[in-house]
Amino acid sequence: MGKMIEAVNVSYIYQTKYQKTKALSEVSCSFERGKVYAITGKSGSGKSTFLSLLAGLDVPTEGTLTVEGEDTRKMNRDAYRLNRASVIYQAFHLFPLLTVMENVMFPMELQHVPMKEAKTRAREYLEKVGLRETLYKKMPSMISGGEQQRVAIARAIAAGGEILLADEPTGNLDSQNEKVIVELLCKLAHEDNYAVIVVTHNEAVAAAVDVVYGMSDGSLSVVRG
Amino acid sequence: MRVFIRQTARNIVRHPYKSILHVLIGVLTVLILELYAGNLDSTKSQLAHLPEVLTVPATISCLNGSMRECLAIREDRVMGVRESEYVKDPAFTVRLRFGFGEFNVETAKDAVTYLNHYGRGMNMLKGISGVEREGVTFLEGVDESILETSQKVCLMEESLLEERGLQLGDEVKLTLYYYRCAQEGSEVFIEPLITDTYRIVGSLRLGRYQGNWMPPETILPLDCVREAYHSQGIEFFADSGSFVVKDPFQLNALKKQMHDEAKFMSVITRAEFRYNGNALTIMDESFIRSAELLSKNLALLRGMLPFVLAIIVFIGYLCSYLSLQSRREEYALMRSLGTGRGRSFLLLFGETALLAALSGFLGGAVGVFLFGTAARVWAFSGALFFAAFMAGTAAALLLLHRLSVMEILTKKD
């Protein structure tokens, strides 16, 4: 299978008025569809920075990051996040004033999907992540953490992209919910052909994925591949 | 666009307390702005309409200012005033003595027998006190403007008409005598002017006459009398003159013209009395005082405008900044889901714009109810509020754009 995302000598420097901090140092790696990747490492090792580059929220200071051959520097990164890559966060980050259903419909609204179709598709995604229909009209604050993370995953796949990025997706969950979410992410990669990249320092999560990269002081190395 | 409107409206409705607070702050700001704009408008309007409320009259007097009638006002001065572009309603009179028919006065007895009536040449009725438009009955098709012509016509006192058995429309032969001042202006002589036939075009009923001289029994058009002077080779002098300053905001230009061209002087109270009407008194004190006061107020209010605007910009900034602080995650999430910077800006800007527009409208409506605000003040305040408030909002939003999306969303709760 071809490389979906490829990083070649990617470096990233945080620059403030007074100092420069090298968060990533010549990172080279690639990601394919149909696989689940984990990037592990200590806090401050550069995992989240790398994830933000993969999400198109920023561009490398040096080196190139390409998605199916297209340099992220040159692409429309808003459209990339809207249509191809979605991010799931540890704190779920659902819109607090939208219902579960409306949260999942949000990316489709941005894509101008007609309301009726968006509703039907949102239902499908919510069913796919195993959420009961009784929760659809509830506000995020009224459902459990595990359920909120499943809504976040449903919202991520609702955009219809092929890349799922997750930043400590099980960090706020108990072990039972953690297992459900990891299984769900693996299922999305293996059955629906997503490229799933998970940033984690949870060993159980790392053990469940196909490829594990380790990050230390901004440098990336293969731990298990 | 529909999605944009739906999202904006939904956000407003789902942040009810914030939206209401936003609108309340907006309404209060608009009300304060309306008070300011109302003051500005009213001061401007008062200043613009000051000449209508406070007219500035001017009177010609002798040099020491003690007399305003029975003077000798040179013709060039009369014409200088009448032809000035800064003068409105110039009123001049010339006093006459007259008798009916043709006669010569050679003795004092002749004067008593024949020259026993008093008349005036006038170019408008308000030239002397006691003569009102209501007290004059004109012949059909004739009005006061006939006094501005040089036609050989006259208005005659009602009792004199009755005494003489005359009626409107009759023609009457009159012998006119005029008042001549000695060259040095200290003595007055009565001299023959002309004998001519005049058509009676109006009857005159005098009201409370307050002049220093005898009330007129007949009034002739000033220019008719002036022409009589000219036809007899006599130098014309008017005996009283007054006018209203056309545009009191051009007082200086008027004064300069009156001084340089008509050769009028200011009153010198210590000057020796002379009959010469060569001093001009312009009663402009109250106008100048009021205009200065209003101008100062206006300048003060206008000077406050940048500060008022800065305060509203700051209010807009503060309201939006505080409101956005609790929505940073929402903003970051929108960006993370692929909403572009421009669209995120427009979405939040649109929300505030809707609330600001609502505040402007409600503030205006409350202003109309409370202070009776005029529509233009409402529009001005509303527009000013909207522009300044949204400038503040834009600044707050631009600040939000500088935040790192990933930094906000990867905070581990």
Side-chain angles (χ1 to χ4, degrees):
Chain A
M1 197 168 289
K3 292 166 185 171
M4 176 79 187
I5 303 173
E6 186 169 25
V8 179
N9 295 327
V10 166
S11 297
Y12 187 84
I13 296 167
Y14 282 111
Q15 197 164 355
T16 64
K17 200 174 173 183
Y18 305 103
Q19 62 173 24
K20 286 180 178 178
T21 310
K22 199 161 193 176
L24 292 177
S25 179
E26 296 183 356
V27 171
S28 294
C29 60
S30 60
F31 303 95
E32 293 171 11
R33 293 182 76 150
K35 283 187 178 175
V36 183
Y37 297 84
I39 301 172
T40 59
K42 289 177 189 168
S43 293
S45 61
K47 306 187 299 286
S48 294
T49 303
F50 190 45
L51 198 73
S52 73
L53 298 185
L54 293 173
L57 287 164
D58 213 334
V59 290
T61 315
E62 286 165 20
T64 53
L65 182 66
T66 55
V67 179
E68 289 187 328
E70 196 181 355
D71 194 330
T72 55
R73 277 195 197 87
K74 292 172 188 164
M75 65 164 60
N76 179 341
R77 292 190 299 279
D78 289 331
Y80 167 67
R81 285 196 307 281
L82 179 61
N83 301 314
R84 301 177 70 184
S86 302
V87 191
I88 301 156
Y89 300 93
Q90 177 180 345
F92 323 129
H93 288 307
L94 299 176
F95 289 108
L97 295 171
L98 301 188
T99 62
V100 164
M101 176 70 98
E102 285 168 340
N103 262 288
V104 181
M105 285 167 66
F106 189 86
M108 290 186 275
E109 269 184 25
L110 295 179
Q111 291 169 333
H112 305 290
V113 174
M115 187 74 126
K116 205 172 168 188
E117 189 190 332
K119 255 185 189 167
T120 314
R121 277 170 56 184
R123 256 171 212 286
E124 280 173 28
Y125 299 130
L126 286 166
E127 276 169 24
K128 191 169 196 146
V129 297
L131 272 183
R132 284 169 289 130
E133 193 166 352
T134 48
L135 304 178
Y136 293 178
K137 286 186 180 169
K138 293 209 165 168
M139 298 311 250
S141 57
M142 296 163 74
I143 60 178
S144 72
E147 287 164 341
Q148 283 189 54
Q149 196 59 297
R150 276 188 270 178
V151 176
I153 293 171
R155 183 178 65 189
I157 57 177
E162 58 262 24
I163 302 162
L164 270 185
L165 305 166
D167 184 28
E168 302 281 9
T170 58
N172 279 2
L173 302 178
D174 55 34
S175 56
Q176 197 182 342
N177 273 313
E178 176 187 300
K179 200 179 164 197
V180 172
I181 294 300
V182 171
E183 277 174 9
L184 192 56
L185 292 174
C186 291
K187 197 174 151 193
L188 287 169
H190 300 146
E191 291 178 13
D192 296 334
N193 207 26
Y194 278 87
V196 179
I197 303 163
V198 182
V199 163
T200 183
H201 49 238
N202 184 323
E203 285 177 10
V205 175
V209 305
D210 305 313
V211 179
V212 180
Y213 287 114
M215 189 159 264
S216 174
D217 295 332
S219 298
L220 194 75
S221 55
V222 179
V223 176
R224 174 165 60 80
Chain B
M1 190 65 187
R2 264 207 340 241
V3 175
F4 175 76
I5 293 169
R6 194 166 56 227
Q7 285 180 355
T8 306
R10 190 169 59 194
N11 284 348
I12 289 174
V13 172
R14 293 195 180 169
H15 290 99
Y17 297 116
K18 274 181 198 162
S19 302
I20 290 168
L21 195 64
H22 230 102
V23 170
L24 274 178
I25 292 171
V27 166
L28 282 174
T29 313
V30 172
L31 282 177
I32 292 167
L33 200 57
E34 270 182 16
L35 280 177
Y36 167 77
N39 257 322
L40 191 70
D41 187 65
S42 141
T43 312
K44 258 163 74 178
S45 159
Q46 279 180 56
L47 190 59
H49 292 104
L50 194 61
E52 293 157 32
V53 183
L54 278 180
T55 52
V56 179
T59 317
I60 296 165
S61 66
C62 59
L63 190 58
N64 68 11
S66 62
M67 220 158 124
R68 292 178 177 183
E69 282 182 281
C70 310
L71 302 168
I73 307 169
R74 273 183 359 218
E75 188 172 9
D76 60 329
R77 288 194 172 118
V78 172
M79 296 318 288
V81 170
R82 289 179 76 185
E83 287 166 6
S84 167
E85 67 272 30
Y86 302 115
V87 164
K88 193 171 80 176
D89 300 340
F92 285 92
T93 66
V94 56
R95 57 185 176 149
L96 301 164
R97 290 283 288 273
F98 74 95
F100 288 88
E102 192 171 359
F103 56 84
N104 278 318
V105 175
E106 283 167 6
T107 62
K109 196 182 167 197
D110 288 346
V112 174
T113 311
Y114 303 114
L115 198 58
N116 46 10
H117 296 289
Y118 296 89
R120 284 275 172 110
M122 292 168 68
N123 65 332
M124 57 173 59
L125 286 174
K126 69 174 187 179
I128 53 169
S129 64
V131 182
E132 301 289 344
R133 171 66 191 83
E134 294 73 31
V136 181
T137 309
F138 284 103
L139 199 63
E140 201 178 324
V142 178
D143 60 24
E144 191 190 342
S145 65
I146 200 153
L147 293 177
E148 291 166 26
T149 69
S150 55
Q151 291 180 52
K152 289 179 180 171
V153 293
C154 67
L155 311 177
M156 202 162 276
E157 221 259 312
E158 274 178 356
S159 57
L160 189 59
L161 283 174
E162 204 178 307
E163 183 191 314
R164 288 275 167 178
L166 294 166
Q167 287 184 334
L168 296 190
D170 287 353
E171 293 206 330
V172 62
K173 185 179 260 189
L174 302 175
T175 297
L176 305 179
Y177 273 64
Y178 75 101
Y179 287 76
R180 179 177 66 81
C181 282
Q183 198 64 39
E184 60 273 21
S186 56
E187 278 182 282
V188 178
F189 305 94
I190 300 169
E191 306 276 3
L193 177 63
I194 198 165
T195 301
D196 214 334
T197 304
Y198 299 91
R199 189 168 175 236
I200 304 168
V201 294
S203 66
L204 190 63
R205 192 175 62 248
L206 283 178
R208 264 185 68 215
Y209 180 70
Q210 292 175 326
N212 293 326
W213 196 59
M214 299 300 291
E217 295 169 277
T218 191
I219 292 174
L220 286 85
L222 183 81
D223 287 332
C224 163
V225 179
R226 206 159 63 90
E227 278 184 9
Y229 272 71
H230 293 163
S231 68
Q232 301 302 312
I234 302 167
E235 204 180 340
F236 174 78
F237 286 90
D239 89 292
S240 77
S242 64
F243 60 88
V244 173
V245 178
K246 191 190 249 176
D247 181 2
F249 292 113
Q250 293 192 313
L251 265 172
N252 288 340
L254 167 81
K255 284 177 181 174
K256 189 172 184 325
Q257 188 185 55
M258 289 297 119
H259 181 266
D260 296 351
E261 293 173 27
K263 308 291 179 199
F264 279 109
M265 292 180 274
S266 300
V267 169
I268 302 166
T269 47
R270 289 186 178 180
E272 196 181 329
F273 174 77
R274 288 280 186 276
Y275 282 101
N276 296 336
N278 53 4
L280 186 66
T281 308
I282 300 174
M283 276 72 89
D284 55 3
E285 259 182 46
S286 13
F287 180 85
I288 290 174
R289 211 178 315 120
S290 308
E292 272 179 359
L293 190 68
L294 287 171
S295 298
K296 266 185 196 168
N297 286 345
L298 196 60
L300 186 72
L301 285 168
R302 280 185 176 148
M304 281 166 67
L305 186 60
F307 299 101
V308 172
L309 281 178
I311 290 169
I312 300 169
V313 169
F314 182 69
I315 291 172
Y317 171 79
L318 205 64
C319 276
S320 304
Y321 179 79
L322 294 176
S323 154
L324 291 172
Q325 280 309 296
S326 56
R327 294 179 67 186
R328 291 164 74 215
E329 282 182 11
E330 191 180 327
Y331 165 77
L333 193 58
M334 280 199 300
R335 296 273 297 117
S336 156
L337 288 172
T339 314
R341 271 177 199 273
R343 195 189 168 111
S344 312
F345 179 91
L346 279 179
L347 199 67
L348 296 170
F349 192 78
E351 262 182 68
T352 316
L354 275 179
L355 293 172
L358 184 66
S359 305
F361 179 78
L362 287 178
V366 174
V368 169
F369 180 71
L370 288 181
F371 323 123
T373 311
R376 65 176 180 282
V377 174
W378 179 358
F380 175 74
S381 316
L384 206 64
F385 164 77
F386 189 80
F389 197 86
M390 292 318 293
T393 300
L397 282 174
L398 289 175
L399 214 65
L400 190 71
H401 277 345
R402 291 170 57 185
L403 294 172
S404 158
V405 171
M406 211 57 189
E407 202 176 305
I408 297 170
L409 295 178
T410 53
K411 257 199 311 192
K412 311 292 188 259
D413 296 344

